[in-house]
Amino acid sequence: VPAEPPPDPLAWGYLGVRVDGGSLRISSVEPGTPAARAGLLPGDEFTKVGDLEPATFDQVAEHISTFRPGSALKVEVRRGPETVASTVRLGVRPPDLPPP
């Protein structure tokens, strides 16, 4: 089991997804991340993150970064014709990622 990365000095929460350019549709979910543990899947499209109804993924990333690692956040995604709700416990943002 790899060691947990060192704590983010700015304590930004981390989800662990990539999206299709400019959209809210998840293109990939990094294995072992909070998103993977919450059951988010490629192809899911964000409709609500906490109390935010985002128009862009930049809004999602900025909103998530306002929460500390370990925070529980309700996320709703569109999966085909259904809306699926999950609770995600945010992780520690990897140190090699640029700020949101």
Side-chain angles (χ1 to χ4, degrees), residues 23-86:
S23 75
L24 292 168
R25 185 174 309 278
I26 297 171
S27 60
S28 66
V29 178
E30 298 296 321
T33 61
R37 288 189 293 274
L40 297 179
L41 300 172
D44 288 350
E45 187 171 353
F46 289 103
T47 56
K48 196 167 185 184
V49 179
D51 58 359
L52 174 72
E53 293 182 17
T56 66
F57 185 71
D58 286 344
Q59 291 175 330
V60 173
E62 288 175 20
H63 188 61
I64 288 170
S65 72
T66 66
F67 293 88
R68 295 182 61 87
S71 298
L73 189 60
K74 185 175 179 186
V75 174
E76 291 182 8
V77 296
R78 186 175 310 114
R79 184 176 292 161
E82 299 179 343
T83 297
V84 177
S86 299

Side-chain angles (χ1 to χ4, degrees), residues 1-36:
V1 174
E4 186 74 18
D8 180 343
L10 298 175
W12 287 325
Y14 175 68
L15 190 58
V17 299
R18 295 188 190 277
V19 296
D20 292 328
S23 75
L24 292 168
R25 185 174 309 278
I26 297 171
S27 60
S28 66
V29 178
E30 298 296 321
T33 61

